[in-house]
Amino acid sequence: MGNLNAGIVPVTPFAQNCTILFDDETKEGVVVDPGGDVDRILAAIRDNGFTIRHIWITHGHIDHAGGAMDLKDALGVEIVGPHEADRSLLSNLEQQAVRFGLSGNVRNCVPDRYLAEGETVSFGEHVFEVLHCPGHAPGHVVYFNRAAKFAHVGDVLFHGSVGRTDLPGGNHATLIASIKNKLLPLGDDIGFICGHGPGGRFGEERRGNPFLV
């Protein structure tokens, strides 16, 4: 087994960080949050010789799940996640597209498997713990690899900010509780990739994020 690595493919007008997590020796991996621009994602997979095992979704917003069904069809793999509390969001992605003035290849998403707190998902020997972290979306999950000291936090936490809570199902107090009770206790040295913009480390956010101090 090689090291866990990650590549980011920016997608959609929201500049969402579609992420390919992969083993740097075997090139086996998963795609996290294919929100759109599926041709661009497929090109990155092809150009780097990746073998994709699953599609993982953090939550049910259009910029994270809008391209999931098309990517599933192209790759022949299952969609895993998020928590079932986002079922209604995923079943209304096409309506979300209309609301945001987006056209094109957006399809409602039907995961093959929903996730719950305490479960694990994996590819190869890379195992990720599932943390249910609502607040930005009711069914938002975070994928945490304890061995690599790494988390994919979706839109829960950003570098210097936190996820918005003015969308349906959002709640600011719940979001802050998710961060303080589930993410920060994992340790200051945990590195993270988020759904938009640069990532960082939990310790930097604990000390300097204005929403947390």
Side-chain angles (χ1 to χ4, degrees):
M1 180 182 71
N3 294 319
L4 177 66
N5 213 325
I8 292 174
V9 183
V11 298
T12 82
F14 299 99
Q16 195 274 123
N17 292 333
C18 174
T19 306
I20 302 175
L21 301 175
F22 64 96
D23 183 287
D24 64 3
E25 287 187 4
T26 67
K27 301 297 185 180
E28 181 181 12
V30 296
V31 176
V32 183
D33 287 354
D37 298 321
V38 171
D39 288 346
R40 186 182 302 169
I41 301 169
L42 289 171
I45 293 169
R46 180 186 63 248
D47 293 347
N48 290 280
F50 295 137
T51 299
I52 300 301
R53 298 302 185 193
H54 295 101
I55 297 166
W56 293 353
I57 305 295
T58 63
H59 65 290
H61 289 158
I62 187 172
D63 52 331
H64 293 257
M69 295 298 284
D70 283 351
L71 189 63
K72 173 183 176 174
D73 289 348
L75 297 176
V77 299
E78 292 188 344
I79 298 172
V80 178
H83 187 280
E84 193 169 7
D86 269 10
R87 181 189 291 269
S88 63
L89 288 175
L90 292 169
S91 65
N92 285 282
L93 290 176
E94 293 166 17
Q95 292 184 11
Q96 289 185 46
V98 172
R99 189 179 312 124
F100 286 107
L102 300 175
S103 60
N105 300 319
V106 175
R107 294 163 57 191
N108 294 336
C109 180
V110 181
D112 295 279
R113 173 188 168 195
Y114 286 103
L115 295 171
E117 176 84 16
E119 291 190 74
T120 62
V121 291
S122 64
F123 62 89
E125 297 183 30
H126 300 288
V127 179
F128 291 74
E129 301 169 35
V130 175
L131 306 174
H132 180 210
C133 294
H136 175 69
H140 200 304
V141 297
V142 165
Y143 299 100
F144 172 52
N145 187 293
R146 192 173 295 272
K149 297 184 177 181
F150 165 78
H152 194 300
V153 300
D155 284 1
V156 173
L157 177 68
F158 298 117
H159 179 59
S161 187
V162 297
R164 60 187 294 183
T165 55
D166 58 337
L167 298 171
N171 183 285
H172 184 75
T174 300
L175 178 71
I176 298 303
S178 290
I179 296 170
K180 290 188 173 182
N181 297 335
K182 294 190 178 181
L183 299 188
L184 299 186
L186 297 175
D188 284 357
D189 58 345
I190 303 301
F192 67 90
I193 287 176
C194 47
H196 306 266
R201 294 193 181 277
F202 286 169
E204 297 169 359
E205 303 309 316
R206 182 181 61 78
R207 291 185 294 267
N209 190 311
F211 293 91
L212 303 176
V213 297

